Amino acid sequence: MSRLRILLPLLLAAVVLLGGEVAAKEEPLERLLGNLLRAETNDAVDRALDSLATRIGDRTEFPNAGAFGDFLGQVAEPKRSHPRVQLRRGWAYIAAGRGREAIGLLEKAERDAPSKPTALAYRGEALRQSGDAARALAVLTEAAGAGYTNAFLPEAALKAAFSLRDPARIRATDGLPPYAEPLAAFLETRPDPVLHASLARWILEDLQAYEIPGSERAGRWAEHAGKQVLKALQLDRGLAGGAQLALDAAVALEAEDRDREGATDRFDLLAWAVRLGAGPDSERHAVPPALAFLAEAALREGRYELAYRMARRRLDVSDSPLARQVLMQLPPDIGD
């Protein structure tokens, strides 16, 4: 009976929504257009547009979203220039993959304060579709700063950043890979664990593919990747693949950490890898090398008790020459 009480409101809501859609389908298109032309407030305009949008997919009316956008472009003035109509028309062209046609409409919609955050987000995606990924990321960052919170935004930012991941440009750059700083700027405004992790993975992959280990540029790339990993894990300790990502970032930082005598994030990354990779008992760990690397790092810092515990935990999983080496270098009074 309790399950019925829970399900009944959901069923009723579904019936109401379905009934509203069916009613909109039954109304003549001319009546729905009349509702739009008579609408005075933003909410009323949005409702009228929603009703019209239910016809997208109808072969005789709007076979696709692009046709819906074309229809809105023929609506009589002044409604055609209403910010919400321009916004919806821009959305329709983006949905149809016609982003270039949406840009001007969305720029006009941005002049309306209530529409601005959404219009910025849509224009960012329109710019990406038109091939201007760098500007797209800048506009998406502006949308985040304007308060746009829909999950569409980080997805669009990730696509735009990926468009900048060009092998030729990565090889030629003197600084970070071309996607790194624009996406990092977006993440300063709109932190997202998946995007932080994706950025870190891309840098680590490109470092391995295009950079010489131990070079100055490799050190900068590894350092930036490590910081992105830490931000991702601070936002989401349950991030999928977090232990391996932290270990990979720590390994990439090895040369830089040695040159800077431990003044990098490598120790913290190894600590995260150890913590996240822990199994239900001491004989299991998702990333066993992290235990030995952390033992070695702790030994260099003079943290002998920690070095001993990590080395012993590593040997509980399986044999490790590095862990045995750490134990041999510890003072005799450390341990059992």
Side-chain angles (χ1 to χ4, degrees):
M1 183 65 71
S2 60
R3 290 186 65 188
L4 183 59
R5 291 197 195 98
I6 295 171
L7 289 172
L8 189 57
L10 296 175
L11 291 170
L12 289 173
V15 169
V16 169
L17 289 172
L18 182 60
E21 184 173 342
V22 170
K25 288 279 188 182
E26 291 175 348
E27 286 192 84
L29 186 62
E30 292 77 8
R31 181 174 297 174
L32 299 181
L33 175 59
N35 292 340
L36 174 62
L37 295 174
R38 289 188 295 272
E40 296 182 358
T41 66
N42 281 351
D43 287 344
V45 171
D46 286 339
R47 286 194 299 271
L49 289 167
D50 288 342
S51 296
L52 283 164
T54 62
R55 303 296 177 89
I56 296 175
D58 187 318
R59 286 182 297 176
T60 61
E61 293 177 347
F62 311 135
N64 53 52
F68 178 57
D70 293 338
F71 170 82
L72 293 179
Q74 298 171 6
V75 170
E77 293 287 14
K79 199 63 70 179
R80 185 195 314 160
S81 298
H82 193 286
R84 310 302 272 203
V85 175
Q86 292 173 322
L87 184 65
R88 189 67 64 100
R89 190 179 171 201
W91 164 84
Y93 287 146
I94 291 169
R98 294 161 56 182
R100 193 177 300 276
E101 297 174 65
I103 294 172
L105 294 164
L106 295 168
E107 286 175 336
K108 294 174 183 176
E110 288 168 24
R111 299 170 191 165
D112 175 59
S115 304
K116 184 174 182 177
T118 304
L120 283 166
Y122 289 176
R123 183 160 68 90
E125 173 61 11
L127 286 164
R128 185 195 70 81
Q129 288 186 5
S130 68
D132 195 345
R135 277 188 67 207
L137 262 174
V139 173
L140 292 168
T141 301
E142 191 178 349
Y148 188 78
T149 59
N150 192 283
F152 158 80
L153 193 64
E155 294 173 7
L158 191 63
K159 290 178 181 178
F162 188 77
S163 297
L164 295 172
R165 197 182 176 194
D166 174 60
R169 293 180 63 194
I170 292 170
R171 290 191 191 98
T173 183
D174 291 328
L176 294 171
Y179 55 81
E181 290 180 296
L183 185 53
F186 173 86
L187 287 166
E188 286 295 320
T189 305
R190 174 75 179 269
D192 183 279
V194 173
L195 264 64
H196 281 293
S198 296
L199 175 54
R201 286 192 183 98
W202 292 352
I203 295 173
L204 293 173
E205 290 169 1
D206 292 339
L207 193 160
Q208 188 171 21
Y210 307 118
E211 192 46 85
I212 301 172
S215 71
E216 181 181 348
R217 192 173 72 158
R220 291 201 304 272
W221 288 17
E223 186 173 19
H224 194 78
K227 292 187 182 305
Q228 296 302 321
V229 173
L230 290 176
K231 289 178 181 178
L233 296 177
Q234 287 159 5
L235 290 168
D236 182 5
R237 295 171 59 94
L239 184 74
Q244 184 65 57
L245 183 60
L247 174 60
D248 291 344
V251 169
L253 264 173
E254 183 176 3
E256 183 74 6
D257 190 74
R258 184 174 58 250
D259 292 345
R260 293 169 56 182
E261 298 181 346
T264 73
D265 292 319
R266 185 171 187 265
F267 193 99
D268 290 341
L269 288 163
L270 290 171
W272 272 103
V274 167
R275 188 182 308 125
L276 296 177
D281 55 61
S282 63
E283 296 182 355
R284 280 179 280 185
H285 198 279
V287 286
L291 295 162
F293 289 143
L294 185 56
E296 181 187 43
L299 175 65
R300 285 202 305 267
E301 292 191 3
R303 300 169 67 173
Y304 299 138
E305 291 288 350
L306 176 61
Y308 176 80
R309 290 200 311 274
M310 292 300 103
R312 291 304 313 170
R313 282 181 63 185
R314 175 63 185 91
L315 292 170
D316 284 343
V317 177
S318 62
D319 186 40
S320 166
L322 179 57
R324 284 190 276 107
Q325 183 180 348
V326 168
L327 290 175
M328 290 176 60
Q329 295 180 63
L330 287 171
D333 60 335
I334 299 298
D336 299 335

